[in-house]
Amino acid sequence: MSLPEAWRGELVAVGFVTVLLIALGLGTDYLVPFLWGGLTLYLGWHLYQLFRFTRWLNKPKTHPRPHAIGVWQPLMLRVDQLSGRGQKRKRKLSRMLSGFLESTGALPDATVVLNDEGRLDWWNSVASEFLGLDRKLHKGALIDDLITDPVFLSYLHAGQYSRPLHMPAPVNDNISLEVRIVPYGKGKRLLQARDITRLHQLEIVRRDFVANVSHEIRTPLTVVHGYVETMQESSETFGGPWKRIIDQMRIQTLRMQRIVDDLLLLSRLETRGSNEGQGVVGIYPLLCGVLEAAQQLSDDKHHIITLDADERLRLVGNAHELESAFANLAYNAVRYTPAGGTIAIRWWLSGNGPCFSVTDSGIGISPEHLPRLTERFYRVDVGRSRESGGTGLGLAIVKHVLTRHDAHLLVESEPGKGSVFTCRFPHSRVAS
Ligand code: ADP
């Protein structure tokens, strides 16, 4: 029965009972008591039905479904239909949710959902394993209280999530994790952690191998170079082509020594803790030394080399590392600028932070080479680099030093016109 039909039936029944009561009242001279009593009974019954109905709606499991007649019958049916539909939707949603949880649970990476306060909303089983999370204890806990590694905390709060963070797993130092944070929704974040232990170990093996080989080669090379220098001093006595041969041997052993030194410096930069040897560095005196060395390297090429530096602008960093990075850029400018060219060394405070730059009027670099310049042994022109005494490691060293100082390298260049290499440091590095 539909609701309008039920209402019609209800009105007919009420009308019929009212007429009956009036007839009985008139017949017995008790019209008012009959009408009053009948209507009170009718109202009482509806109130009772309403009471049972709301009680059942509130707690459908503990109270029986009220017996429905009249207008109550279609009302009950409608409620039944709506609750059936709700149940169906709930089942569908819970099926979807368990499918989603199953698939994220099967992911090999740890996944943690953080709410807008940084509290744990949900995580998969790999996250429990890598981060030591317990479903009963840690639901709703602050991530800061669970992963207390200071490097992780500064990464989490800095909000710069473009690069991943490498750190040991909180439960086991032997597991290396690559952690990524992805912000989404309103202040929510997804934390992902990937096991990179094998990769990390391979990287250590590679690093150690290069460092050990360089170290082992260094001593015999020094001995050979020493002998070659002694031979060179008396090369006239050998006569014939020997003078040229000994000169070449000296140049090549020197080149090998420079490569070994650069490789050792690179491996030191890779293994040292990022804050090691850091302090307040007066950049101006350091640049005066770099200028002098660049002038010596320029020698008879007569470059016009200028220095324009803010004498009061000092930096928090490692003096030796910064000197080697700045010197590499200045020496490159000397080596790749034809005789008589200009080289400008600058150090100033820009709106984006402290900047060091070397501008030259040299041979320049084609745009296709720019993205690869800081790779080890990458050279635009191998012959030219060797001829000018380059090792192919200079810009790799610069990049490493800058990364350790939260800085980055910008290169602008045009073939035939010259280049500008700029090191941009963050404001936080300025020493007050
Ligand atoms: P190298 O020891 O060969 O100079 P670097 O790593 O210092 O190695 O530089 C990589 C390459 O970048 C160089 O081989 C050279 O081709 C190019 N390069 C670096 N600086 C300059 C510059 N100022 N002008 C032109 N080319 C440059």
Side-chain angles (χ1 to χ4, degrees):
M1 201 199 302
S2 69
L3 207 55
E5 276 171 28
W7 269 115
R8 262 198 303 273
E10 186 78 15
L11 287 177
V12 169
V14 170
F16 176 74
V17 172
T18 315
V19 170
L20 193 73
L21 288 173
I22 291 173
L24 277 172
L26 287 176
T28 56
D29 261 353
Y30 287 109
L31 179 63
V32 175
F34 263 105
L35 270 180
W36 184 254
L39 286 176
T40 310
L41 273 177
Y42 179 71
L43 191 68
W45 180 76
H46 272 295
L47 279 176
Y48 178 59
Q49 278 291 83
L50 193 64
F51 163 72
R52 295 213 303 161
F53 180 64
T54 45
R55 193 176 57 170
W56 170 72
L57 268 186
N58 261 346
K59 288 181 180 167
K61 279 188 187 149
T62 43
H63 298 291
R65 186 177 179 280
H67 179 64
I69 51 165
V71 77
W72 290 98
Q73 199 181 13
L75 207 62
M76 293 286 179
L77 273 174
R78 190 85 189 108
V79 171
D80 278 348
Q81 275 172 0
L82 287 177
S83 102
R85 235 182 265 172
Q87 292 287 338
K88 234 189 205 170
R89 205 172 300 152
K90 211 167 144 187
R91 274 197 297 273
K92 195 173 160 195
L93 274 176
S94 82
R95 263 202 311 275
M96 275 169 64
L97 185 68
S98 55
F100 167 76
L101 292 182
E102 232 173 85
S103 56
T104 37
L107 282 175
D109 298 346
T111 309
V112 182
V113 176
L114 299 174
N115 69 12
D116 51 354
E117 288 173 26
R119 292 180 186 277
L120 273 67
D121 259 358
W122 178 89
W123 61 91
N124 64 358
S125 51
V126 189
S128 308
E129 192 189 319
F130 285 168
L131 308 176
L133 302 179
D134 185 294
R135 293 226 177 266
K136 283 187 197 134
L137 287 178
H138 299 136
K139 176 102 177 120
L142 262 184
I143 187 78
D144 307 48
D145 296 337
L146 301 175
I147 307 178
T148 49
D149 185 329
V151 181
F152 170 79
L153 290 179
S154 64
Y155 176 72
L156 179 77
H157 295 298
Q160 303 286 323
Y161 304 134
S162 52
R163 274 189 287 181
L165 169 78
H166 292 178
M167 62 177 252
V171 286
N172 184 350
D173 279 357
N174 295 323
I175 299 177
S176 301
L177 295 181
E178 182 187 77
V179 177
R180 265 182 193 284
I181 293 182
V182 187
Y184 74 99
K186 274 192 183 160
K188 294 192 172 191
R189 282 168 292 180
L190 193 73
L191 183 151
Q192 284 185 304
R194 192 160 68 98
D195 183 355
I196 52 155
T197 311
R198 229 182 95 69
L199 249 165
H200 186 67
Q201 279 164 352
L202 279 174
E203 176 66 12
I204 291 175
V205 170
R206 179 197 65 78
R207 226 157 54 191
D208 288 355
F209 177 76
V210 174
N212 290 339
V213 168
S214 314
H215 204 76
E216 290 299 322
I217 287 178
R218 195 184 209 181
T219 317
L221 200 59
T222 313
V223 174
V224 172
H225 185 71
Y227 283 136
V228 171
E229 274 191 333
T230 316
M231 284 163 77
Q232 197 187 26
E233 279 160 20
S234 47
S235 59
E236 268 80 45
T237 55
F238 290 100
W242 282 104
K243 183 175 168 357
R244 203 178 54 83
I245 293 171
I246 293 169
D247 280 351
Q248 272 304 310
M249 279 166 71
R250 200 188 73 89
I251 290 170
Q252 295 305 326
T253 49
L254 251 180
R255 205 167 84 77
M256 278 171 79
Q257 269 183 333
R258 271 202 299 268
I259 293 178
V260 167
D261 286 346
D262 278 358
L263 281 173
L264 281 171
L265 175 59
L266 263 175
S267 79
R268 271 201 303 275
L269 287 174
E270 282 178 332
T271 46
R272 235 185 247 164
S274 58
N275 289 334
E276 215 170 293
Q278 299 228 345
V280 174
V281 184
I283 301 292
Y284 178 71
L286 187 149
L287 290 183
C288 290
V290 170
L291 174 73
E292 213 173 289
Q295 278 162 340
Q296 274 175 19
L297 187 70
S298 166
D299 197 21
D300 56 354
K301 282 165 97 187
H302 303 297
H303 293 114
I304 301 159
I305 310 178
T306 56
L307 171 64
D308 171 16
D310 182 339
E311 290 182 37
R312 285 168 308 165
L313 181 57
R314 297 180 307 158
L315 206 66
V316 176
N318 182 307
H320 284 112
E321 291 177 12
L322 289 170
E323 183 173 17
S324 113
F326 295 164
N328 263 308
L329 293 176
Y331 298 165
N332 273 353
V334 172
R335 293 210 310 264
Y336 299 108
T337 300
T342 56
I343 295 165
I345 302 172
R346 286 185 67 205
W347 170 244
W348 78 105
L349 184 63
S350 79
N352 295 317
C355 286
F356 167 83
S357 78
V358 179
T359 309
D360 65 52
S361 60
I363 59 171
I365 307 160
S366 306
E368 70 269 21
H369 296 292
L370 295 182
R372 300 194 56 191
L373 279 189
T374 54
E375 285 175 23
R376 286 165 197 216
F377 296 114
Y378 186 84
R379 287 129 157 167
V380 176
D381 180 340
V382 179
R384 190 168 198 145
S385 160
R386 286 201 183 133
E387 199 181 295
S388 63
T391 60
L393 294 168
L395 292 182
I397 291 173
V398 172
K399 189 188 162 194
H400 261 81
V401 171
L402 294 189
T403 308
R404 289 163 59 79
H405 289 80
D406 316 309
H408 48 267
L409 180 68
L410 308 168
V411 187
E412 295 158 76
S413 191
E414 211 178 310
K417 294 216 165 145
S419 317
V420 186
F421 285 76
T422 309
C423 308
R424 191 179 285 161
F425 295 84
H427 274 295
S428 54
R429 285 268 167 188
V430 177
S432 51

